[in-house]
Amino acid sequence: INYDPALHPFEVPREYTRALNATKLERVFAKPFLSSLDGHRDGVNCMAKHPKSLSTVLSGACDGEVKIWNLTKRQCVRTIQAHEGFVRGMCARFCGTSFFTVGDDKTVKQWKMESPEYGEEEEPIHTILGKTVYTGIDHHWKEAVFATCGHQVDIWDEQRTSPMCSLTWGFDSISSVKFNPIETYLLGSCASDRNIVLYDMRKSTPLKKVILNMRTNTLCWNPMEAFVFTAANEDYNLYSFDMRFLESPMMVHMDHVSAVLDVDYSPTGKEFVSASFDKSIRIFPVDKGHSREVYHTKRMQHVITVKWTSDNKYILCGSDEMNIRLWKANASEKLGVLAPREKAAMNYNQKLKEKFQYHPKIRRIAQHRHLPKSIFCQIKEQRIMREARRRKELNRRKHSKPGSMPFVSERKKHIVAVVK
Amino acid sequence: RRKLAERTEASTQVSEFNVSCKGAGEKLVLSELLQPIRPKSALSTVKKELTKVKQKKAVELPLSKEEAERVVREAAYVRTSKDVGRWQQVVLQNRRAEQLVFPLKQEIATVVPLEQVVSAWKARTPLEQEIFGLLHKTKQPITDPLLTPEETASLQAMSLEEARQRRAELQKARVVQSYYEAKARREKKIKSKKYHRVLKKSKRRKALKEFELLHKSDPEAALAKLEELEQLRMQERMSLKHQNKGKWARSRAIMAKYDLEARKAMQEQLARNKELTQKVRVELPEEEPSDVPEEDLTSETVPTIPVGASGANPWMLGKPSGPAEELKVQEGLENVAVPDAVESKEEMEKDDDEEDMSEEEALLQDFMQKRQVRQQQARSLEEQGGELIAQESVCMVCCRVGQRQGGSWELFSAQFHIEGGIDQRGVITEAFAGDDVVADFTREKRKAEEAAKPQPVNLVLPGWGEWGGTGLKPSARKIKRFLLKPPPAPPRKDQHLPHVIMSERRNIHAAAHQVSELPFPFERHQQFEQSIRTPVGATWNTQRAFQKLTTPRIITRSGHIIKPLSAEDVPDMATTAGTGAKPALEIVPQRPEPPLCRRRRRAR
């Protein structure tokens, strides 16, 4: 091929047209829904990933049932009646040989990951009876330690039946607890007192508390950035915090139209997925304030729990209509082995889309998503409300003494206090 | 007896019955409490101790539980923040990296030697144990010696690198093999008759050449080849194959009366038979001089098919021509080129040297001569017919206006040929006498410039501070104040091009596709425009450059679990934590301004 530029004129218009076509084709091939795992007899309350196997996922339902699924066959492999009442939380041990569940019957149970052999009954390895209801559980990433939360945050050794230490700060019930995957002695918890508390396991002390406007439902630590965590809040937003600077979140992610119930990070640490009470899940980049993708189905009702698989390709979401749905993380990605030419073409298209992403026609096509009517109308309504509030603030500022109304950054608006 | 009811009385006196302060903020003093204790009472020792204690300084109140906890928390928080801050560099690097490859630690799958796997296995179920018991009893080997001692020695000798190389070689060999297999499969499928005829001929020629070479180098092998031919001959004589007796030949015979091709085919078959049944004279190379038997053999083995009979190249009837004949051929060529008297003379001179030159040089010379002939002819053609063409082109140029200053037709007059008495130039000047094209153009350009200039806005209103009415004009001061002059427009692109008008009007259809304001990550217009201008595709970049430009930002391996970051993935972490030395570029934010924060423009 002769690279003489006189022979290949009009580079920019030609590449622009290719970018436009690539954007349109991306929308054409954006079919993210893969399958739905059917079998639970009550809403799915919590999910856990298998740390060593990509094709296994565990789910706990609101009737105390725990099911283990094989994603390649899309079938349930094992069913356990684990608790009476809700299965409030579950987590897998880091080695992958067992998993823990907590339920409304105030017990913590440890089960084997392998199916019981012929003739054996489905029994937990270990049961711990507690005095209060436990609402969440998470296992340490490296040691044989796990933490439960309910009345207070308890840290247990696997061999003992009473907690190693109990961490309390205030008198409120705690809804979820998560271990930091990188600095494994750190924990974060969300309480019903609208606060997020960080704990240090080595020193057995809480570290700091940040109080937000509304309650946080769950939080998730970034697996690639040790000090970053994202909190899913009731005020329709998600807040990404830097652990060292809790006065103001790193980013406020706004796009949901109802309470955000669950959040999970991609293993690359660049994006996360959030499940919301409005019947959709959204994928946000860590450094942007708005979502890049929204998944919804007519059949999917309030999404309670969401997980991003460890190979960065799929998203699992459990909703309260008893189904677990499997989606592609990249909606228009072609699964399977790609020929080298295909890969080269896809990389080229991706690069073109990035290069021309600011052009109006391309941006319009790339950001267009079909939304269900409820969400669409809610977005419009909330925009009107926000505009009204903003206008009022501007007017107040205009008609008051200059300097009497300070400008508060959007990030700081949602934080009430940071308590040392 | 009735017990006396006790009663408390409020009083300011401090005693063992009454502890009170005079007012808020006043403290109790120990001496007041000790006053009522008289010496020599049971409490005297206590009093002594208490007086001793009084001299000592007061100890600070221990913190309340909450405060104590808070202090612990703060200290722990500071410490933990510092620990966590070790990852700052790594995180920044990952955020800024152009490409991230996951999983971070790529494990190279090592092949576990089979012996290890086998030895690690133990008999578990009763059946297995039974069998092993039997084997043990009869002293049979449990594990097959998978590798003989030589093989183990060779394995140990081969390092990983060598193993890799060997594997690469094997792979290459496999690839080559598969390529040749595919090629053979393709060729097997070819049914075209012409192809097969050509192939046979070429094979025969190759065989002959090989045989000659073989004869020169390895006479025994040549003998073996001859024996093969002998075999063929025997077979031919024994069988009745190529004798126009089979089904095909009989069918062809019917057609032969009318069809020339059929006749030829039958004759070819017979000729083949004759060729195969020719006797091969085997002569040992030692007995006779080499020249003669070679020629004999070649003449014997090469099928001296009377070429004319098969209708092939009649030029090959005679022997290949020597240098003298080539010379004659060249001379013939020369005679064709007529006006080259000089060149032919040159060639006549060359003729004398012809015999000394080799064949190649002769061919080269021939080629050069032919080229010269061609060039001569071209030149002569040009001179004759070129004038007409040139004239026409010049006329066209004149008709397109604006090439020269006005009234310069005379410049062309020298180049014009007057043909047939018609003065073309004159006709044209007459026709366009009234047209001053260049002046028209400049006028048009000036008009366009004036139209494109931004117009001053006229906000003048009569009245408003002065008299207004019919026939009255607003004052000069008012006009000066209310005639808003716009800022001067940027220079036009066609300023320095006097013969060009470039329209500066905005193209609405193109504007719909263009970016109207500078997007966020860019700070200057030039940066953004440059980023758009550089092409990314394979038409404008070499393959390597294209690959580098379009590398994806995140690469993952399908089927591999991506684990969270750990200290082992970043070997630098251990050093920075251990030494405590600050890295070269410390980007830890002192003030809580996290690196992802967008700078907000403060409204004044």
Side-chain angles (χ1 to χ4, degrees), chain A residues 296-354:
Chain A
H296 58 86
T297 323
K298 247 196 231 169
R299 294 233 174 138
M300 184 161 78
Q301 303 303 313
H302 311 295
V303 192
I304 312 286
T305 171
V306 79
K307 286 272 177 244
W308 200 313
T309 56
S310 319
D311 63 350
N312 198 35
K313 277 203 198 294
Y314 306 102
I315 291 173
L316 290 147
C317 69
S319 60
D320 73 351
E321 31 83 24
M322 314 173 210
N323 276 329
I324 300 171
R325 285 187 175 80
L326 184 65
W327 308 80
K328 282 194 253 180
N330 267 324
S332 48
E333 187 189 7
K334 182 171 174 183
L335 299 172
V337 181
L338 297 177
R341 271 176 185 267
E342 269 185 295
K343 241 188 275 180
M346 294 206 158
N347 290 342
Y348 178 44
N349 283 343
Q350 187 61 35
K351 178 76 190 179
L352 281 175
K353 279 185 272 178
E354 277 168 22

Side-chain angles (χ1 to χ4, degrees), chain B residues 502-515:
Chain B
M502 284 191 188
S503 159
E504 302 270 311
R505 285 178 67 197
R506 190 162 169 262
N507 185 357
I508 298 171
H509 300 290
H513 291 267
Q514 285 168 339
V515 182

Side-chain angles (χ1 to χ4, degrees), chain A residues 225-252:
Chain A
E225 304 185 357
F227 40 79
V228 172
F229 67 88
T230 301
N233 209 330
E234 282 278 317
D235 66 352
Y236 316 169
N237 297 340
L238 295 114
Y239 301 96
S240 291
F241 284 93
D242 183 334
M243 198 212 93
R244 304 165 291 173
F245 312 111
L246 285 171
E247 308 81 43
S248 137
M250 263 171 36
M251 193 49 102
V252 179

Side-chain angles (χ1 to χ4, degrees), chain A residues 16 183 225 243-244 355, chain B residues 77 87-88 95 513 534:
Chain A
Y16 175 80
E183 295 284 324
E225 304 185 357
M243 198 212 93
R244 304 165 291 173
K355 181 175 162 188
Chain B
Y77 179 72
W87 294 96
Q88 175 73 18
R95 277 188 197 155
H513 291 267
T534 48

Side-chain angles (χ1 to χ4, degrees), chain B residues 59 146-147 152 218 278 288 328 331 334 406 459 490 538 564 573 595:
Chain B
V59 175
L146 293 156
L147 300 167
T152 38
D218 189 6
Q278 255 176 8
E288 285 168 67
K328 281 187 203 150
E331 282 189 23
E334 286 161 29
L459 297 172
M573 282 295 305

Side-chain angles (χ1 to χ4, degrees), chain B residues 55 128 170 173 183 188 278 291 449 457 460 477 486 534 598-599:
Chain B
Q55 282 154 20
E128 287 171 5
L170 286 170
K183 189 172 180 188
K188 195 168 71 166
Q278 255 176 8
D291 300 306
E449 276 182 28
V457 180
V460 177
R477 202 181 58 198
T534 48
R598 285 168 75 153
R599 263 181 276 119

